[in-house]
Amino acid sequence: MFTPFLHILVFPGFLFLVFAGLIAEYIDRKLYARLQNRVGPPFFQPLADFIKLTSKEDIVPEEANPRMFKAMPIFALTATVTAIFYIPLWSPKALYSFNGDLIVVMYLLTIPTLTYFLGGWYSTSLYSKIGAVRSLTQLFAYEVPLLMCILAPALLANTWSLSEMASFYENHSGYWLFNIIGFAVAIVALLGKLEKVPFDIPEAETEIVAGTFTEYSGRLFGIFRLSLDIEAIVGSSLIASVYLPFGFHLKPLAGFLLYMGKVLSIIAIMSLSRSIFARLRIDQMINFCWKYLSPLAFLQILICLIAKWGLYR
Amino acid sequence: MRIKDKIVKWSRIKSPWMLHFNTGACNACDIEIVAALTPRYDMERFGVMLKGTPRHADILLCSGPVTGQIKDRLKRIYDQMPQPKFVIAVGSCACSGGVFNGCYNVESGIDSVIPVSAYIPGCPAAPTAIIDGVVKLLASLEQREE
């Protein structure tokens, strides 16, 4: 009776994710600053930002639809927090699992993008509408390669449950090396999903003010920022559990440290890309995703099918 | 309530987000503001982030005397910022109107239109002076009794 609430609210649910998300944002910003040869923010910076935003005035634009405008940040946060329950973190068994939870996690991670679109659309500012349409256009570019390259390891493991995939790769050590191409594709697609540079087209602050979030202020914007941070953690956990499935048999503390190491290294890769790339145009991004990323994901599926045929024969 | 207020005040001092708005400057102060944000001086040490929209900003950095055209826009930008909000006038023109004071098309200084919390003189104000002004504004917030 009591444990589910503990799971949802404390660990690995809401509180843990908030904490991890803020740490991830700090590491991202600090690494970015160090790569630019400057000092960077202090360690409490993301927390101070969040508290400040929650204590500021909430402005709802007169033209906006207040119900949708206020509900969207909460939907984004809920969807991202829910997705963590189906992802195996440091033991091969996730908190809750059933056959097909892979698809559920992908759906739950798509909902935040949809809320960015709706929130931007219903705030009726011109800039947020442009940002909203861009974020939806971007969704159609990265979602297909991401789903395809996450399905490839599932095909090799012959299951659609993340927990069973994790235990399969744990029992067949070395099999995850088949999925290296998929790993690269998934990280690029995750950059698009999290709207990070070079795919930060929806919130390009030099062209369209702040994109989707132009009209959001105070607490609502704070929740949106938090949900983006948490989405970074959840997305990296998904990639870590699918593509780096080793060390699941370790003791709880060592396993936890290994899991944090995996997630933070994926976040470090993302902040590295943020400091070396410039922003792409939306048409270049769509071209890149459909011309190069999707064929690579397809190649990954082919590799997995051939490997499966060779191994199970 | 006391502890909560203290935490909120701490977070406000540690995370000032800025909006840069040119109210008719000759562009010299703007170059210095941008220089203060670049890696050489690194304002992110103090938690400063440059924001594109007034909805996210806490501090409005204004440069230049208020021209007749920009006056209404300045008021509108100021009204769009959520409370609590602060205004910093950067450069001599923004402080008092400078050499443009008394011109037919210029109001005098930012404080003739909106309330200003800190003045940073200089023509143009050096990046170090801008950082100093911002830090002094934050220090004055710390002492303020609410």
Side-chain angles (χ1 to χ4, degrees):
Chain A
M1 169 79 195
F2 187 61
T3 15
F5 285 106
L6 196 73
H7 286 322
I8 289 168
L9 289 176
V10 182
F11 192 81
F14 186 65
L15 271 180
F16 165 70
L17 279 177
V18 168
F19 192 62
L22 293 180
I23 287 178
E25 193 196 332
Y26 163 69
I27 285 174
D28 176 47
R29 280 170 69 174
K30 186 77 178 179
L31 255 180
Y32 185 54
R34 290 310 296 155
L35 287 165
Q36 291 181 338
N37 214 357
R38 57 194 173 92
V39 178
F43 68 93
F44 50 74
Q45 192 56 53
L47 183 66
D49 286 347
F50 180 67
I51 295 174
K52 182 207 71 179
L53 281 172
T54 49
S55 69
K56 282 202 83 153
E57 183 190 2
D58 283 328
I59 299 178
V60 180
E62 239 171 58
E63 303 260 306
N65 180 338
R67 202 175 299 152
M68 291 297 274
F69 191 81
K70 283 180 186 161
M72 279 310 126
I74 296 164
F75 269 97
L77 191 64
T78 321
T80 44
V81 172
T82 313
I84 198 84
F85 298 126
Y86 299 101
I87 300 173
L89 303 181
W90 53 86
S91 67
K93 190 145 174 49
L95 219 51
Y96 304 100
S97 78
F98 57 90
N99 204 2
D101 56 12
L102 181 64
I103 301 299
V104 172
V105 168
M106 291 305 294
Y107 262 116
L108 286 171
L109 286 181
T110 311
I111 287 175
T113 315
L114 211 60
T115 62
Y116 304 152
F117 166 72
L118 286 173
W121 187 262
Y122 279 105
S123 52
T124 60
S125 157
L126 196 63
Y127 295 116
S128 42
K129 271 190 182 174
I130 295 173
V133 172
R134 281 187 186 186
S135 74
L136 211 58
T137 316
Q138 190 165 307
L139 176 81
F140 287 109
Y142 67 72
E143 199 65 33
V144 172
L146 184 61
L147 187 60
M148 266 166 56
C149 71
I150 287 204
L151 281 188
L155 281 176
L156 187 58
N158 214 4
T159 170
W160 285 51
S161 157
L162 284 167
S163 306
E164 284 172 31
M165 271 167 73
S167 53
F168 172 85
Y169 284 105
E170 182 65 30
N171 295 333
H172 301 72
S173 59
Y175 273 31
W176 61 277
L177 290 169
F178 286 116
N179 305 325
I180 290 289
I181 298 173
F183 183 44
V185 173
I187 282 188
V188 176
L190 189 68
L191 282 173
K193 199 179 211 29
L194 299 170
E195 304 182 354
K196 298 239 171 165
V197 185
F199 302 134
D200 64 334
I201 308 156
E203 47 187 306
E205 71 258 11
T206 42
E207 323 165 15
I208 49 168
V209 186
T212 316
F213 307 131
T214 304
E215 293 296 329
Y216 276 95
S217 63
R219 188 172 304 132
L220 300 173
F221 181 55
I223 296 176
F224 257 143
R225 268 175 67 95
L226 191 67
S227 78
L228 260 173
D229 288 347
I230 291 181
E231 200 186 350
I233 288 285
V234 175
S236 324
S237 312
L238 175 66
I239 288 184
S241 81
V242 172
Y243 292 104
L244 305 170
F246 47 83
F248 280 133
H249 61 278
L250 289 173
K251 297 227 159 40
L253 185 65
F256 177 70
L257 289 179
L258 184 69
Y259 156 71
M260 283 316 275
K262 286 176 193 169
V263 166
L264 293 182
S265 54
I266 289 172
I267 285 181
I269 291 174
M270 288 198 288
S271 62
L272 194 68
S273 87
R274 186 173 146 208
S275 54
I276 56 179
F277 288 118
R279 187 186 307 125
L280 297 177
R281 282 201 318 267
I282 187 85
D283 61 318
Q284 288 170 330
M285 195 254 177
I286 305 262
N287 265 344
F288 172 74
C289 282
W290 284 103
K291 270 188 190 162
Y292 303 105
L293 225 49
S294 295
L296 274 177
F298 199 65
L299 181 69
Q300 173 62 60
I301 290 187
L302 272 183
I303 288 173
C304 280
L305 284 179
I306 291 167
K308 197 175 168 182
W309 175 74
L311 294 167
Y312 289 156
R313 197 158 43 125
Chain B
M1 282 306 271
R2 284 289 299 173
I3 296 170
K4 189 193 138 206
D5 288 346
K6 268 187 187 164
I7 290 174
V8 164
K9 197 191 227 177
W10 168 82
S11 72
R12 267 178 203 154
I13 289 164
K14 292 300 175 193
S15 144
W17 288 359
M18 288 191 178
L19 177 69
H20 170 208
F21 185 47
N22 182 337
T23 55
C26 65
N27 217 19
C29 290
D30 305 296
I31 289 170
E32 301 300 319
I33 289 172
V34 172
L37 292 161
T38 44
R40 180 80 171 81
Y41 294 100
D42 186 26
M43 292 258 261
E44 207 181 2
R45 282 179 294 159
F46 308 111
V48 172
M49 280 217 279
L50 188 68
K51 285 285 167 180
T53 159
R55 300 276 193 221
H56 301 174
D58 308 298
I59 296 178
L60 185 62
L61 274 181
C62 294
S63 56
V66 185
T67 60
Q69 280 222 334
I70 214 85
K71 188 182 163 191
D72 296 337
R73 275 107 180 164
L74 177 60
K75 270 185 196 158
R76 202 192 301 164
I77 293 274
Y78 183 71
D79 289 340
Q80 279 174 351
M81 287 168 67
Q83 292 282 0
K85 53 192 169 186
F86 308 97
V87 179
I88 298 182
V90 179
S92 302
C93 305
C95 292
S96 64
V99 290
F100 302 105
N101 206 355
C103 237
Y104 71 97
N105 57 349
V106 165
E107 311 277 323
S108 70
I110 306 285
D111 51 6
S112 62
V113 184
I114 52 172
V116 174
S117 311
Y119 299 87
I120 301 170
C123 185
T128 42
I130 296 170
I131 294 173
D132 190 44
V134 171
V135 170
K136 274 185 180 152
L137 172 70
L138 298 177
S140 79
L141 291 185
E142 199 162 10
Q143 283 155 11
R144 187 189 292 186
E145 290 295 322
E146 280 178 86

